[in-house]
Amino acid sequence: MIDGFEQVGGVHPGFRRNHAKGVCISGSFESNGQGVSWSRAAAFAPGQMPVVGRFSLGGGNPQMPDEPTAVLAMGLSLRPPGGEEWRMAMIHLPVFVVKDVQGFYEQLLASKPDPATGKPDPSKLAAFAAAHPEFVRTMQVIKDGPSPSGFATANYNSLNTFRFVNAAGAGVPVRWSMVASVASAPAAPEQGKSPDKSYLFDDVIARLARGPLQWHLIVTLAQPGDVTNDPTVPWPADREHVDVGTLTINRAETEAPGNCRDVVFDPLVLPWGIEPSDDPMLSARSATYSESFRRREGERKTPSAIQVPVAGRGS
Ligand code: HEM
């Protein structure tokens, strides 16, 4: 999988093999105590804890230009007192585009730019789509929905299913989303024409310089029979949603030692009270993130494309 990312996105020493272009963020998570009914995780005890995170774009090129079709991502590490850390890696898409890791690998190779045109070979993409009917369905869902105008207004989704276990040992499958407090404005068509190749990052850095940004952590509880092993299948809209707390991001920082740079936002770094579901994509993700981390940690670091001015800090 990682060789595939390198083949398509190139080898960029020191950078993540996917979601290579990014910026570090930090702030806090304030739990309101509502999550305690479903999970005994320390992060759900009422109170505040520090958070380290990262905004990024999907793709292996750390210099890729920002564009309206980019996949916006948020990696987070919640650090409650006592060390029961909870890491997550979420994206803005409402569903994942393929149902398993093999499909993701094949999609990656099919979308490799043809050196002659600089664009993916349409015949390879068509062959991939024909072999993956779920890709055709999920791309339609994504096209029918609004694209977010930026990192600050996007909602970020776990997509894969996890399992919450409470103090009595009762478990329930869950998915979660960070839902932006700023009303989600759809992207304006002129955004993609910006001469600024990092307009999405520059926007969120400028907003953080003016003040903090917030998201609500909304947990969705499954009903018996809901699909737990396939992130391309959305759950019915009437499932119970619980607001368990507020994420406040108040600072953006250039990737550097000691901040998000050397963190791997592995979705299986989970605290007691949150477990993987039966979705095999989770262990595939974990293994792939580890291999990316292993390679990039052993390389000389080159400066990130996203440089945050020291004044670019919220309060
Ligand atoms: C089989 C499917 C997937 C594979 C193979 C994969 C692979 C990767 C890899 C290699 C990285 C870089 C890790 C590092 O060096 O730190 C990464 C980062 C990331 N992935 Fe995935 N991914 C998959 C699915 C997903 C899904 C379903 C989501 C979201 C729901 C997601 C969200 C993210 C995010 C947010 C990051 C950036 C984390 C950071 O800023 O360090 N990925 N992914």
Side-chain angles (χ1 to χ4, degrees), residues 50-93:
V51 166
V52 167
R54 184 169 178 268
F55 285 128
S56 63
L57 298 182
N61 177 0
Q63 309 290 337
M64 71 182 274
D66 295 5
E67 54 192 15
T69 53
V71 174
L72 307 187
M74 176 191 264
L76 288 181
S77 156
L78 270 50
R79 300 172 172 181
E84 286 286 319
E85 188 183 347
W86 177 14
R87 294 190 202 171
M88 41 182 123
M90 302 164 286
I91 53 176
H92 87 272
L93 300 179

Side-chain angles (χ1 to χ4, degrees), residues 247-292:
L247 171 71
T248 302
I249 296 298
N250 45 34
R251 185 171 166 169
E253 230 180 289
T254 307
E255 292 173 295
N259 59 25
C260 79
R261 193 192 70 180
D262 301 317
V263 176
V264 52
F265 294 98
D266 176 341
L268 288 189
V269 175
L270 296 168
W272 193 59
I274 306 179
E275 298 175 355
S277 66
D278 59 348
D279 184 347
M281 187 182 285
L282 281 170
S283 52
R285 284 179 68 187
S286 183
T288 316
Y289 290 31
S290 276
E291 178 59 13
S292 167

Side-chain angles (χ1 to χ4, degrees), residues 162-205:
F162 294 78
R163 198 176 156 76
F164 277 7
V165 179
N166 69 12
V172 60
V174 297
R175 291 174 175 174
W176 61 76
S177 301
M178 283 289 177
V179 175
S181 293
V182 181
S184 179
E190 63 273 15
Q191 272 192 343
K193 302 192 183 91
S194 171
D196 175 2
K197 296 298 172 218
S198 296
Y199 70 92
L200 291 167
F201 287 97
D202 290 346
D203 171 67
V204 74
I205 291 166

